[in-house]
Amino acid sequence: MLPYFEKKFGNASEIHSWGTEAKVAIEEARRNVAKALAAGEKEVIFTSCATESINLSHKGLIEGIVKGERLGKPHIITTQIEHKAVIETCKHLEKLGRAEVTYLPVDKDGLVSVSAVEKAIRAETVLVSVMFVNNEVGTIEPIEEIGRLIKKINQLRITNSQLPIYFHTDATQAIGYLDCDVNKLGVDLLSLTGHKIYAPKGVGALYVRRGTPIARQQDGGGQEFGLRAGTENVPYIVGLGEAIRIVKSQITNHKSQITRLRNKLIEGVLQIPGTKLTGHPTKRAPHIASFIIEGVEGEALLLLLNEYGIAASTGSACTTGDLQPSHVLTAMGYKPQESHGSLRFSLGKDTTEEEIDYVLEVLPKIIEKLRGMAPRI
Ligand code: PLP
């Protein structure tokens, strides 16, 4: 990335050699992203993050379809456990009266059922959006199965000259660990972000299968095949391209090491009385260990863990003094008081055995301290 901040500072839209140099770098990054997704190069659009990719995908598709000859209000199917980027985009489309949205429930493990997707499909359904891996509990959703279902329905629709259903997955949490081959998954749209695979924060990509009717959501120049106007962030795009290349070549090593450490962490935490694992016990991404710790409040846990140099997250966010239970845990059937004690650890390629041992040494003491102090919530 470094040369593109200083020495190779060209604008990829210019035809002089500086510009060409930048363009060549962007195209190399695009090839790397396309390769990781088994996609065509012209099917990869660089954005600023997964949130932007999702907004472009969903708003762009609805606008792209409405521009066509479609009749009736488009219908979207998604799940109750999506990241806010999907849920808020869908709510916005509903508020503008541009789409009707079904938010599918999930089971106690956070799994969406393929038959629930099938039942929710109507004649007006144009988009199904299901995340690949849930960011709070790590559950892996049955994307390939849903892809097969949609393909089957689309074969009928095409014979009847009806619009197909387009399938989007938010692969933000999956890209570093799972096979994201868009053809195997059967997706038409896939969103990802750079910082989950060690690229900088502030760069992402959207895969758009050829022929998917997406309308640009940002007007201006013709960059990114006319789908995302604005001068490209060359160093960050180079960073994303390189990060995805490295992560995909080292995925097998990372995955087994991280899974082993994650399992050790889970086993250790579950030894502490009053703790529960959240998310699917086996269908879960290697890097997420999430729990409910009874009788404590997540934010207090985080503050104390931070004092010991341990960074963790909780599903509950304290906004305006009100503890909001996580929408994901609520959808999974957890009561607000349980959600308030949620705790999540994310592991990465550099997580060590010593760090896991340290967490397992510190955490029981912190929990005991908090349980001793706090009135039960
Ligand atoms: N989707 C999922 C599943 C995520 O975990 C995140 C971020 O953590 C996002 C979308 C949004 O990513 P970004 O903030 O880069 O837009």
Side-chain angles (χ1 to χ4, degrees):
M1 292 170 60
L2 289 177
Y4 297 94
F5 282 113
E6 286 184 3
K7 293 192 184 74
K8 300 183 175 185
F9 194 63
N11 179 339
S13 299
E14 302 287 352
I15 56 169
H16 48 61
S17 54
W18 272 16
T20 314
E21 196 171 49
K23 190 162 176 52
V24 167
I26 290 178
E27 293 320 315
E28 189 184 335
R30 201 186 306 282
R31 262 196 303 283
N32 284 337
V33 177
K35 197 169 163 210
L37 305 177
E41 282 163 38
K42 291 196 173 142
E43 295 175 315
V44 173
I45 311 298
F46 288 115
T47 63
S48 64
C49 57
T51 303
E52 189 192 330
S53 301
I54 292 162
N55 272 264
L56 174 58
S57 154
H58 293 26
K59 292 176 183 168
L61 184 79
I62 295 302
E63 193 183 327
I65 281 169
V66 170
K67 267 192 195 158
E69 76 288 6
R70 207 204 133 70
L71 298 170
K73 194 181 273 189
H75 174 236
I76 300 174
I77 298 170
T78 189
T79 77
Q80 293 174 5
I81 60 160
E82 298 295 307
H83 188 273
K84 287 263 156 83
V86 169
I87 293 189
E88 293 302 318
T89 300
C90 287
K91 281 194 184 156
H92 188 78
L93 286 165
E94 280 183 298
K95 209 166 107 192
L96 295 178
R98 292 194 186 153
E100 277 179 15
V101 185
T102 300
Y103 301 88
L104 292 175
V106 292
D107 68 11
K108 190 83 182 168
D109 293 329
L111 265 186
V112 66
S113 104
V114 182
S115 65
V117 175
E118 187 167 15
K119 282 193 199 117
I121 291 174
R122 320 174 186 160
E124 299 78 22
T125 307
V126 291
L127 174 64
V128 172
S129 183
V130 178
M131 69 198 321
F132 201 166
V133 169
N134 179 269
N135 49 306
E136 282 190 36
V137 294
T139 299
I140 302 172
E141 300 300 337
I143 300 302
E144 262 188 72
E145 289 89 325
I146 299 172
R148 276 200 293 274
L149 166 76
I150 292 174
K151 199 168 176 186
K152 199 178 74 189
I153 293 170
N154 280 347
Q155 275 161 359
L156 260 173
R157 283 194 173 199
I158 288 159
T159 332
N160 297 337
S161 309
Q162 284 172 309
L163 260 183
I165 300 168
Y166 296 95
F167 184 24
H168 168 269
T169 191
D170 173 2
T172 301
Q173 293 286 344
I175 190 73
Y177 301 97
L178 305 180
D179 185 1
C180 288
D181 179 323
V182 289
N183 300 313
K184 280 191 202 153
L185 296 176
V187 295
D188 305 292
L189 296 151
L190 178 147
S191 300
L192 61 94
T193 201
H195 65 274
K196 304 294 177 197
I197 51 168
Y198 310 99
K201 293 160 198 73
V203 63
L206 174 66
Y207 159 75
V208 183
R209 187 178 290 279
R210 208 154 64 97
T212 308
I214 292 280
R216 61 198 278 167
Q217 296 301 301
Q218 187 161 297
D219 293 315
Q223 290 92 345
E224 296 301 300
F225 313 114
L227 281 182
R228 206 267 186 177
T231 302
E232 299 91 340
N233 187 341
V234 184
Y236 278 36
I237 290 172
V238 167
L240 175 58
E242 193 56 7
I244 211 162
R245 188 189 65 74
I246 296 170
V247 102
K248 288 295 170 190
S249 65
Q250 298 180 356
I251 200 163
T252 326
N253 289 347
H254 285 166
K255 216 171 147 175
S256 50
Q257 157 85 347
I258 295 174
T259 305
R260 189 180 66 76
L261 293 178
R262 196 257 344 249
N263 289 347
K264 180 174 179 174
L265 179 62
I266 291 178
E267 277 162 31
V269 173
L270 294 181
Q271 299 286 313
I272 307 168
T275 57
K276 275 192 264 200
L277 180 73
T278 55
H280 199 282
T282 53
K283 289 178 191 161
R284 59 187 304 135
H287 63 300
I288 297 174
S290 54
F291 307 92
I292 283 182
I293 315 286
E294 285 167 15
V296 298
E297 194 249 286
E299 290 204 335
L301 259 175
L302 298 197
L303 291 176
L304 284 190
L305 283 167
N306 186 46
E307 278 181 23
Y308 284 89
I310 299 167
S313 311
T314 176
S316 306
C318 189
T319 43
T320 60
D322 242 355
L323 260 190
Q324 296 290 332
S326 137
H327 71 283
V328 174
L329 295 175
T330 304
M332 288 164 65
Y334 289 100
K335 297 189 194 86
Q337 18 342 351
E338 292 177 297
S339 294
H340 288 155
S342 71
L343 177 66
R344 177 175 85 243
F345 295 102
S346 302
L347 288 78
K349 68 181 174 62
D350 299 320
T351 307
T352 62
E353 186 110 34
E354 290 72 37
E355 285 170 336
I356 300 295
D357 290 338
Y358 179 59
V359 170
L360 292 176
E361 183 198 319
V362 167
L363 186 63
K365 293 183 204 157
I366 292 180
I367 293 176
E368 207 183 304
K369 184 171 171 187
L370 286 173
R371 282 186 180 151
M373 273 164 55
R376 293 247 152 179
I377 48 168

